[in-house]
Amino acid sequence: MTPIAAMPAATPAATSAAATVAGTAGKRRAGRARIAGLLTALLLLAGCAVNPATGQRQFTGLLSPDQERQLGAEQHPQILAEMGGAYEDTSVQAYVEGLGQRLAASTGLPGTRYTFTVLDSEVVNAFALPGGYVYVTRGLMALANNEAQLAGVLGHEIGHVTARHTAERYSQGTLAQVGAVLAGALGGQQLGQAAAAGAQLVMAGWSRDQELEADGLGIRYMAATGYDPLEMAAFLDAMGAHARLEATLAGRPGAADSFSYLQTHPPTGQRVERATEAAGSRPPAGWTTDRDAYLRRIDGIVYGDSPKNGVVRGRVFLHPALGFRFEVPEGFRLLNGQTQVTAVGPDQRSLITFDGAPAQGAPDPAAYLTGVWAPRVPLSGLESLSIDGRPAATAVARADTDAGPVDVRFVALRFDPRTYYRFLFVSAPDATARLSADYRRTAYSFRALGADERAQIRPRRLRVVTVAPGQTVADFVRRMPDIDHAEERFRVLNNLPAGAPLQPGQLVKIVTEG
């Protein structure tokens, strides 16, 4: 590039010529953009139709109903694999299937075949795949306090199916990509990049509108089936309280919208307001909630971790199926995820992660650590260990993060010829020395479980009990196992505001061991 100081000054003639060329090029680009827009508009017009569920014109022409059904069928096994599988209680599955089919019959759209599945996951969540595949977790069922609330959730997810939101999102996204390609071909790379950026903005804005539309459809379906539509707003409020509790337990108060169901849905406050308005516009018609019947249906449902995926008991993680356990330091909170276990320290910068991985032919832990797990990390202090009589290796490294530098200790343990278990210990540099002994104890606390120990690990369950005269919240909290924020959890489970008393004869949910 020529230095600015060495460039000759532009003459008036040169400036005029440049302006003429720029003007001509600008007109050419504008013409090409109009052509690209016209072609895109023609595609949009060809794919538009009135959706009988919403009564609105909708662009779904690039994904047919048959293709939606095929897509849902293909993704269903993957959902089961990633979300803990179907909950192994045939009565609960049959109950949700029956309720879902009654709601589906109220849509007036008989062409879709629905499949309703309760997932064996403690996460409070519900979602739908195209083609009529609807899922709720046992965690969500444990949070609901009556059948109308569950009906509202199922109706909302059915609404996603009847509104053909997947087809709409796919078709709009494809159309935006087509427009970007056309603009790029006709108007050059810059115009194509601008169109692609616009497409991303459109995609980012759809989710909120679609969720609110599904709320409205869900209210319509639950009311048509006889359930009080105001309970949808009540359950949205309960989910907000649950998310706030989870944020507090994770040491992130004020970050409720980043937890569970609310990660992919509009903020609860807005949805409660909209759902309340929609429900209030419908005149009462002898609606029901079926509270007591619902609570008896979920009496005994597994609460929290499932033993087949490992369980957290205080500071100890136990996995009866895989046959091991370990313990984290005082002050750390254990979180059991789909692919790894995480323990977060009280300062939020201290972190422990644990997972398993295939050996990939590594002959020993040191070779695995340096050649398979962290081949491009500048490790130091490589050392061989023995943990629970099994070969292991450890090394350390310094890493830069958005929050500043951290020290990382890697520990790889060979559990069997095909499997390595891995600890990652993270600390801020000024806390490394202080945490070193605690982290060492955690690594050496790993051990195999005996057959008797495995058999004694049982899931926690939700039990429904009747309040006797004179009983208080404290009486029921004392009956629950040692869990963080037990009173808050009891109140969230029972949708009981702080300070609200119990009434004799009232059914309430408590958590028990086994």
Side-chain angles (χ1 to χ4, degrees):
M1 178 178 178
T2 306
I4 293 176
M7 290 183 179
T11 65
T15 302
S16 177
T20 301
V21 170
T24 303
K27 291 177 182 177
R28 197 179 298 126
R29 283 195 297 271
R32 289 167 178 166
R34 282 194 294 272
I35 294 171
L38 179 60
L39 291 174
T40 303
L42 289 172
L43 281 173
L44 178 62
L45 183 62
C48 275
V50 174
N51 186 308
T54 64
Q56 304 295 319
R57 293 189 66 83
Q58 183 182 38
F59 180 57
T60 57
L62 301 185
L63 191 68
S64 71
D66 285 343
Q67 289 172 318
E68 284 186 282
R69 282 188 285 271
Q70 181 180 354
L71 182 60
E74 290 172 353
Q75 292 297 311
H76 178 64
Q78 184 176 340
I79 291 294
L80 293 179
E82 292 179 355
M83 295 292 292
Y87 181 52
E88 296 176 355
D89 186 317
T90 55
S91 64
V92 171
Q93 292 286 354
Y95 165 63
V96 173
E97 174 73 18
L99 176 58
Q101 294 298 346
R102 292 202 306 275
L103 288 159
S106 73
T107 65
L109 302 172
T112 302
R113 178 183 176 186
Y114 287 87
T115 300
F116 297 89
T117 304
V118 180
L119 296 170
D120 191 8
S121 171
E122 72 275 17
V123 175
V124 175
N125 206 353
F127 53 93
L129 292 181
Y133 290 85
V134 176
Y135 306 86
V136 295
T137 62
R138 57 174 171 80
L140 185 143
M141 292 188 67
L143 184 62
N145 272 285
N146 58 54
E147 192 167 274
Q149 292 181 357
L150 180 59
V153 172
L154 294 176
H156 172 97
E157 300 306 333
I158 291 170
H160 281 302
V161 177
T162 59
R164 301 195 63 205
H165 283 156
T166 298
E168 181 179 47
R169 192 177 183 99
Y170 174 84
S171 299
Q172 292 279 15
T174 301
L175 179 68
Q177 292 173 356
V178 168
V181 170
L182 287 173
L186 295 172
Q189 183 180 8
Q190 232 176 11
L191 190 59
Q193 288 174 342
Q200 291 175 354
L201 289 174
V202 170
M203 289 291 285
W206 287 332
S207 178
R208 180 180 299 271
D209 292 341
Q210 290 178 335
E211 293 295 348
L212 294 173
E213 185 173 55
D215 278 346
L217 291 169
I219 286 170
R220 181 198 303 176
Y221 301 150
M222 66 187 297
T225 315
Y227 294 104
D228 185 350
L230 287 172
E231 288 300 317
M232 176 179 276
F235 188 60
L236 289 170
D237 194 47
M239 286 195 295
H242 173 267
R244 289 190 292 274
L245 174 59
E246 290 299 301
T248 298
L249 291 173
R252 296 173 58 196
D257 281 355
S258 66
F259 282 79
S260 65
Y261 191 78
L262 302 178
Q263 288 179 326
T264 55
H265 292 68
T268 306
Q270 180 185 5
R271 294 185 65 203
V272 169
E273 183 180 346
R274 291 282 295 271
T276 302
E277 290 175 358
S281 67
R282 297 176 178 274
W287 287 316
T288 184
T289 63
D290 282 350
R291 182 179 189 275
D292 288 2
Y294 175 77
L295 292 179
R296 291 192 174 96
R297 288 275 190 179
I298 64 170
D299 186 17
I301 197 170
V302 171
Y303 181 81
D305 298 326
S306 170
K308 70 179 184 182
N309 299 317
V311 299
V312 172
R313 295 292 182 262
R315 293 187 292 117
V316 178
F317 180 77
L318 307 102
H319 205 304
L322 298 177
F324 65 82
R325 56 95 72 195
F326 63 86
E327 183 174 344
V328 299
E330 188 79 36
F332 279 68
R333 181 171 184 253
L334 272 167
L335 305 168
N336 187 13
Q338 290 293 322
T339 59
Q340 70 177 19
V341 181
T342 304
V344 183
D347 63 357
Q348 301 301 303
R349 293 190 66 190
S350 304
L351 187 72
I352 303 170
T353 67
F354 175 89
D355 65 5
Q360 298 187 42
D364 57 67
Y368 175 81
L369 203 163
T370 58
V372 177
W373 187 12
R376 290 179 292 278
V377 177
L379 298 169
S380 62
L382 182 65
E383 178 186 359
S384 294
L385 310 169
S386 176
I387 297 177
D388 192 35
R390 291 173 166 81
T394 184
V396 296
R398 174 68 61 88
D400 292 322
T401 71
D402 292 341
V406 294
D407 290 331
V408 183
R409 176 168 290 279
F410 299 77
V411 176
L413 178 149
R414 188 166 189 167
F415 193 70
D416 60 43
R418 296 177 298 175
T419 308
Y420 278 89
Y421 286 121
R422 314 183 301 190
F423 284 103
L424 204 64
F425 298 99
V426 181
S427 58
D430 59 356
T432 298
R434 173 173 51 83
L435 289 171
S436 177
D438 286 339
Y439 283 173
R440 181 180 179 87
R441 280 192 290 272
T442 292
Y444 278 96
S445 73
F446 180 96
R447 67 172 176 82
L449 292 171
D452 290 344
E453 290 178 301
R454 293 193 194 196
Q456 291 172 7
I457 299 171
R458 296 181 296 171
R460 288 173 174 165
R461 295 187 182 274
L462 208 65
R463 297 295 180 186
V464 176
V465 296
T466 304
V467 178
Q471 283 189 311
T472 66
V473 169
D475 294 324
F476 291 103
V477 170
R478 281 193 291 269
R479 294 173 58 179
M480 293 170 63
D482 183 21
I483 54 179
D484 293 336
H485 292 72
E487 180 174 339
E488 290 90 335
R489 193 176 295 278
F490 174 83
R491 289 188 177 278
V492 167
L493 276 173
N494 291 286
N495 198 20
L496 196 66
L502 299 176
Q503 301 298 323
Q506 177 183 355
L507 296 182
V508 294
K509 297 175 283 188
I510 63 172
V511 180
T512 65
E513 293 281 7

